[in-house]
Amino acid sequence: MHTQAFAPLIDAHIHFDQYTPDEQREMLQSFSDKQVEALIAVSMNMASAQANLELARQNPRTVYPAFGFHPEQSLPAAADQDLFFDWIEKHIGQAAAIGEVGLPYYNRQEAEQAGQDFDQSGYIELLERFILLAKRHNKPIVLHAVYEDADIVCDMLEQYQFRHAHFHWFKGSRKTVQRMADNGYFISFTPDILYEEEIRDLARQYPAEQVMAETDGPWPFEGPFQGCMTHPAMTRQVIQAWSEITGMETERAARLFYQNTKRFYRLP
């Protein structure tokens, strides 16, 4: 009996530079056995972006870097922001995308629960700058924006008429989900689709031609992944879970996820 080969896997969002060099090497060596073709290596800050660029140079056609500033940390000084934007402009030709960028939902929640004021205007200004950069260079943008923060980000994307947006590990209201879907934004599912009802529910709602799979590694997962190092091959189980939830045959789902990710990130 002939079984059709699965489509290759692409991890649409991973912090590849955050693994140790040994872990990176072992991972890369395992890719052909596990049918992992590529990954989008998102950045935390300038040092992270430089590390991902170097990893991409060493592993062309496998590692595709995205340059950005993760919002769940203190804002850099204005001069450091300028330095980073100058650096990105200089290396924009090597960038698959701008990211990870967005708003500090979890840090804000923590501060507010501790009774502290949290002013996110500086984060909004920085994100606006990243959106304009992505638009100017016609690059996709990778977003960390959940719950009510997603509405602020949708407002900004609509204001600048920028649609090439990927909301990673998204969580939000049905109304926001509908708005994002209508605007053509993409989302990606992590391995928690296997055990988080909120995420499984999102899989039932979101258009199939606007979904991708990610790990957000090295972030650790629970359920069947408890105690395992997060590996891009886990996107296989993400796709299988999504196919069971939506009723799409698994091989067809694997091809769909592969084509969606190649199309969104314009991968060769």
Side-chain angles (χ1 to χ4, degrees):
M1 182 181 135
H2 175 73
T3 56
Q4 190 184 1
F6 253 55
L9 300 168
I10 303 171
D11 189 335
H13 185 105
I14 183 171
H15 295 270
F16 196 54
D17 66 300
Q18 307 283 304
Y19 290 86
T20 68
D22 284 349
E23 287 168 342
Q24 290 166 355
R25 198 163 40 249
E26 279 168 34
M27 229 184 247
L28 289 159
Q29 283 166 359
S30 72
F31 280 2
S32 59
D33 285 350
K34 295 182 184 289
Q35 285 182 285
V36 176
E37 183 177 290
L39 53 87
I40 304 297
V42 294
S43 301
M44 299 287 291
N45 50 38
M46 184 157 160
S48 174
Q50 289 167 332
N52 280 321
L53 178 59
E54 188 49 42
L55 286 161
R57 282 177 175 152
Q58 291 164 13
N59 304 282
R61 297 183 80 86
T62 303
V63 177
Y64 292 91
F67 304 144
F69 180 82
H70 195 297
E72 300 284 356
Q73 53 187 333
S74 301
L75 278 172
D80 291 330
Q81 290 184 30
D82 291 344
L83 272 176
F84 190 21
F85 276 84
D86 289 347
W87 184 89
I88 295 174
E89 291 278 358
K90 202 165 135 197
H91 298 95
I92 197 73
Q94 284 82 51
I98 297 301
E100 166 173 10
V101 298
L103 297 177
Y105 179 81
Y106 299 105
N107 278 359
R108 197 178 78 247
Q109 289 289 103
E110 213 172 280
E112 285 170 0
Q113 278 159 12
Q116 297 157 354
D117 284 337
F118 191 99
D119 176 15
Q120 73 170 7
S121 57
Y123 291 92
I124 291 172
E125 284 163 22
L126 181 58
L127 176 57
E128 191 168 30
R129 199 171 168 184
F130 276 122
I131 291 170
L132 289 168
L133 175 76
K135 183 170 179 168
R136 188 163 68 248
H137 292 287
N138 190 25
K139 295 284 179 184
I141 197 163
V142 191
L143 293 156
H144 171 99
V146 295
Y147 302 115
E148 59 268 25
D149 282 356
D151 296 305
I152 300 171
V153 175
C154 285
D155 288 343
M156 293 166 81
L157 293 170
E158 287 168 8
Q159 181 190 344
Y160 292 110
Q161 297 176 302
F162 189 73
R163 284 174 174 256
H164 205 159
H166 168 200
F167 286 73
H168 100 99
W169 206 340
F170 179 73
K171 304 149 192 84
S173 72
R174 205 164 268 265
K175 192 176 166 196
T176 306
V177 165
Q178 191 59 56
R179 180 185 185 184
M180 286 165 49
D182 290 346
N183 282 347
Y185 309 150
F186 278 58
I187 63 169
S188 51
F189 295 100
T190 71
D192 77 345
I193 193 174
L194 277 84
Y195 54 83
E196 283 284 351
E197 195 43 51
E198 181 183 18
I199 302 299
R200 294 170 71 82
D201 192 42
L202 179 60
R204 293 181 195 102
Q205 295 172 55
Y206 218 77
E209 58 283 356
Q210 291 160 239
V211 297
M212 301 184 281
E214 61 154 307
T215 62
D216 201 24
W219 186 270
F221 289 92
E222 296 163 29
F225 310 104
Q226 188 78 45
C228 303
M229 184 184 78
T230 299
H231 189 292
M234 289 177 179
T235 54
R236 168 80 70 226
Q237 285 109 306
V238 173
I239 295 166
Q240 280 166 335
W242 182 90
S243 76
E244 285 158 23
I245 292 161
T246 59
M248 186 182 289
E249 188 266 327
T250 310
E251 280 175 21
R252 191 175 152 221
R255 284 195 301 275
L256 173 82
F257 273 70
Y258 179 69
Q259 286 156 1
N260 284 354
T261 313
K262 294 265 285 194
R263 187 175 82 245
F264 181 85
Y265 279 109
R266 306 186 186 116
L267 302 181

